[in-house]
Amino acid sequence: MSEEKLYVIKSRSDDNFYFSGDRMMPRWSDNLISLFGSYEVAKEIAEDNNGQPVTFVEEPEKIVITKEQAEIVENAHDQKYPANYISGNSGLVASSEEKLLNAYVNGYTVAKEKKYLVYKTLGGKQEHEQFAQAYRSSVYPGTVSWILTNEVTNRSFSQFTEAEIEHYGLQDCEKEEVTDDGTK
């Protein structure tokens, strides 16, 4: 990040007005608002336009991390020496440590786990292709049941993460990734 500061001119009478070129604008717009590299120039123009110079601060982009990494960052907040805690819990990869330190300082979002529809294509002499699709049983919680179907359908109870596929022993099945909008 550069150490140079940028300044904008904000109206003294209304917090919603910013200086743009030759007048105050009612809304912030990246295309219209003037940025100044010098505080002195911004102050001079601000005085002529009933404004005040303010430092323009750009918020850093949040780091995308896994749920496990988020736990490390959250636990670091409770430590006397957070950087030491992150260093000791981020594994042997230096880039992972740097990523977690950035997440601690700049904030983070947790990556969504990919979800999959899990099924087996059934062979045979039937006229139409058939599938046995896995789903979480509501009758026997914590187990997987199968349904015979003509097409693989996307329902919340039929979506599995990689960890769940491994837990239930479904690695030898076919799988289709489900997108964020719920389609296959």
Side-chain angles (χ1 to χ4, degrees):
M1 224 177 188
S2 172
E3 293 300 319
E4 294 179 32
K5 291 184 179 180
L6 293 174
Y7 302 92
V8 294
I9 298 173
K10 196 173 188 180
S11 170
R12 288 187 191 277
S13 59
D14 185 346
D15 281 347
N16 295 322
F17 283 78
Y18 296 88
F19 182 78
S20 175
D22 60 350
R23 65 184 184 280
M24 290 293 198
M25 300 296 293
R27 280 186 270 316
W28 178 268
S29 169
D30 289 342
N31 299 342
L32 300 175
I33 303 304
S34 299
L35 296 173
F36 301 92
S38 163
Y39 179 81
E40 288 74 27
V41 171
K43 184 177 179 184
E44 186 177 320
I45 293 173
E47 288 171 357
D48 293 342
N49 290 279
N50 193 30
Q52 60 186 357
V54 293
T55 305
F56 177 76
V57 179
E58 215 173 326
E59 188 174 316
E61 209 172 296
K62 291 186 177 186
I63 308 295
V64 179
I65 58 177
T66 66
K67 189 167 34 170
E68 294 78 17
Q69 290 173 322
E71 286 180 31
I72 293 170
V73 172
E74 283 304 310
N75 290 339
H77 285 281
D78 300 330
Q79 304 299 315
K80 185 173 183 177
Y81 301 107
N84 287 348
Y85 179 82
I86 289 172
S87 180
N89 288 281
S90 60
L92 299 174
V93 182
S95 61
S96 177
E97 180 181 340
E98 184 177 343
K99 184 178 189 176
L100 294 181
L101 288 169
N102 280 333
Y104 180 85
V105 173
N106 299 326
Y108 63 89
T109 57
V110 177
K112 287 186 177 181
E113 282 190 86
K114 290 183 180 179
K115 296 207 174 193
Y116 301 91
L117 302 176
V118 179
Y119 61 93
K120 287 189 176 199
T121 305
L122 303 175
K125 295 183 179 182
Q126 65 271 12
E127 187 175 327
H128 300 286
E129 194 171 41
Q130 289 195 320
F131 306 93
Q133 185 173 357
Y135 67 95
R136 275 184 222 79
S137 174
S138 58
V139 177
Y140 303 106
T143 65
V144 171
S145 296
W146 296 86
I147 186 168
L148 186 62
T149 180
N150 290 330
E151 69 176 310
V152 177
T153 57
N154 183 11
R155 302 276 193 261
S156 61
F157 56 83
S158 62
Q159 297 177 5
F160 295 87
T161 63
E162 283 286 354
E164 291 171 325
I165 290 171
E166 192 173 315
H167 172 75
Y168 292 119
L170 303 172
Q171 299 92 322
D172 61 335
C173 299
E174 297 174 57
K175 63 182 184 180
E176 265 182 60
E177 186 176 340
V178 179
T179 61
D180 282 343
D181 62 2
T183 61
K184 320 188 260 181

